[in-house]
Amino acid sequence: MQNLQKKLNYYSYKYYTLQNPIISDQKFDYLMLVLRKLEKKNNDFIQSDSPTQKVGSNLLPFLKSISHITPMLSIKNIFELKDLLNFERKIKHKLALKKNINFCCELKLDGLAVSLLYKKGILIQATTRGNGINGENVTKNARTICNLPLKLNNTNVPPKLEVRGEVVILKKDFAILNNNLSIQGKKTFSNARNAASGSLRIKKTSKTNKRKLMFFAYYCNLFNLENKYNSQFQRLKKLQNLGFSINENYILLNKINKIYKFYNAISSKKNNLNVEIDGIVIKVDNIKYQKKLGNTITYPHWAIAFKFYSKKYITKITSVSFQVGRTGTITPVAHFNPVNIDGAIITKASLYNKNNMLKFNISTGDFAEIKRAGEVIPKITNIIHQSMKLNKKIHFPKICPSCSSDIIDNKSKKISKCTGTLICSSQKQKTLEYFVSKFGLNIFGLGPSIIKKLIQNHLINDISDFFYLTQDNLLKISGIEKKYAKNVIYAIKKSKKVSLHTFLCSLGIPNIARSSALKISSFFLSLKKIKNASIQDFFQIKNIGKKTAKNMFYFFKNNKKLISKLEKVLQIENTLVKFKKFRINFFKNKHIVFTGSFKTMKRQKAVKNVLSFGCKNISNYISKKTNLLICGENCGRKIKQAELFKIKILKEKKFVLICKKYSKINTTSIL
Ligand code: IVH
């Protein structure tokens, strides 16, 4: 804690006093959050000089210090939806309210907070926030801000008025300013906020005058007119009416899911706004409620800043490997020094394709900026190059790292493929792995390392060879015990009886996953018909595209020998009944998410069922499109998310009942 306090105080000093930040805002916010959490757990150790105990800044010596009429508070930052839910929950609890309450949601402008004092409609004083109690007198300079009213031209002007808002410099004006500074050989500003702050907190007013500063109001104290305007939303309108500029993106919302939507909408359009923002501010709209809720010494309980926060991590790249996929696609993968992202140790991230890799121009020893896209897959967003002398530039291979066959690119260089097919050991290994995986026949005990050893020992060469394996064969492989070997052989034997659509899936034909396999098998009903089908035949199936049709046709044309070998050892069950038309509508065209553990039906079966009942998509994550959540036991936050977004939830028991009913109608042996 002490270490963090020391660091943060130093960063604050560099940021506020010297206006020369040395770490990113995101990092600062993050460290502050860590410190707050530590302090919460270890209350007794909070130091009076901890950065969490004061609002900000030391004061610049040439600006006179004046005390604020009412303390100028900061706002607590949050970064995640769950914190927003918590914010609302606490407020409702404190106010002892069950009904929804209105929140005034505004943009969080990224500039310099300034407090203005008007008496009888005349600007008397402008103060920076300072430490929240005392601020710097910037009245002279503030008078030069072009849209800041010096006199309020309105009949209904309160005798005393305190207005707070943000002094900013618009993005376009910031670009011009920095351009001019660099032409003059002067130091440029690192961002628009520093430019605004540096332009206002300056000795020479004539300089401020030249900088195009703007003031946007977001808060006011009306003193004896307090009760007349008892909502934040109303007050913003009143401020507008008095002649202040208000950023027009403010809205009154009373549900968290709507606020979250607003947050996401603003987040996606923030780059197109003319002013820098770093989040949204959510305020309890009712001023009486605000008063009831009160403040801590640093921030109010009635407002929160929901900041845009994409976690970024920086680590050193140690190497790039090139993985050969089942179909020969070469994927470059960057390996780096381990980084701990939310508790998961990440050591590598895909570079997707040749084009993307070349764009980054990577050398070993370079640094990678890593983000977790959608909190799951690590993604490299930027490469920070080191001196070229020390590093080794990474080149995309011309020949397959596995079999040395030529690599060919498609036009866009998005797909580079090994041309080795059958002779490529990587492709062979991946094809064999896929065949026995849960996407294929789902055979127990045959993991990648055993498959590798089986290939090395010439015990398997193609997928049909699995069915000729004996217990003795397996025992030849080091590390395999008798009982394990017995179980594997039993599992292989059991898997020989297979439905047509599972068989189609197991072959690993590009584009053929469960849903397309089901469509194809329920159209042709037998393998015999599939073998004899033309591209056109495949193409006439509803929702089967040209690419899939071609892939099916060529696979069966080029692998006749393999298929007949498989037919000899397998018992492929024809599909019983066409489910051309789905008579049931409940699952039809739905975007479904499964969660929790299923007791009465295996998850795989459940997936198979909904696919056969015409569902459109199955995903692991709740998104905008999701319209049904099917849950087993021990479900986590997905239920809460679904409730929040009003997504229909179906419990396992009911789901199984519906499945049984529907499968009877369809007369297929789905369950
Ligand atoms: S309300 C008592 N509204 O964010 C709450 N602040 O980190 C008073 N800010 O100090 C502030 N946009 O400089 C409020 N729409 C907005 C804002 C906003 C930016 C700044 C302000 C504040 C800081 C908190």
Side-chain angles (χ1 to χ4, degrees), residues 419-432:
T419 49
T421 44
L422 290 177
I423 64 150
C424 180
S425 58
S426 283
Q427 288 189 53
K428 189 194 285 177
Q429 163 100 21
K430 293 269 162 55
T431 305
L432 292 165

Side-chain angles (χ1 to χ4, degrees), residues 393-419:
K393 189 167 153 46
I394 309 277
H395 298 279
F396 200 90
K398 291 203 166 57
I399 54 170
C400 172
S402 173
C403 68
S404 302
S405 301
D406 287 343
I407 290 174
I408 49 163
D409 297 336
N410 74 349
K411 270 185 212 138
S412 66
K413 287 197 183 142
K414 281 206 170 133
I415 299 173
S416 311
K417 277 196 167 189
C418 157
T419 49

Side-chain angles (χ1 to χ4, degrees), residues 73-75 106-109 113 129 166 218 281 283 300 302:
L73 301 176
S74 185
I75 317 179
E106 306 162 26
L107 302 194
K108 186 170 185 314
L109 304 171
R129 187 169 67 188
E166 207 80 351
Y218 47 63
V281 181
K283 303 172 183 173
W302 46 264

Side-chain angles (χ1 to χ4, degrees), residues 10 68 94 207 212-213 215 221 332 345 593 654 664:
Y10 179 64
H68 295 295
K94 274 190 189 162
K207 261 194 169 174
K212 287 196 167 166
L213 295 179
F215 177 83
N221 267 318
I345 308 291
V593 172
K654 188 136 185 233
K664 261 186 217 148

Side-chain angles (χ1 to χ4, degrees), residues 228-262:
K228 200 164 172 210
Y229 302 96
N230 50 20
S231 113
Q232 164 72 7
F233 193 78
Q234 260 180 32
R235 285 186 178 193
L236 288 178
K237 294 252 180 261
K238 173 72 184 165
L239 283 168
Q240 212 159 5
N241 185 253
L242 287 170
F244 292 95
S245 299
I246 309 287
N247 187 294
E248 76 264 22
N249 292 291
Y250 63 99
I251 184 167
L252 208 54
L253 297 170
N254 68 355
K255 283 197 186 97
I256 295 294
N257 61 345
K258 286 188 182 154
I259 298 176
Y260 192 50
K261 261 191 186 164
F262 176 69

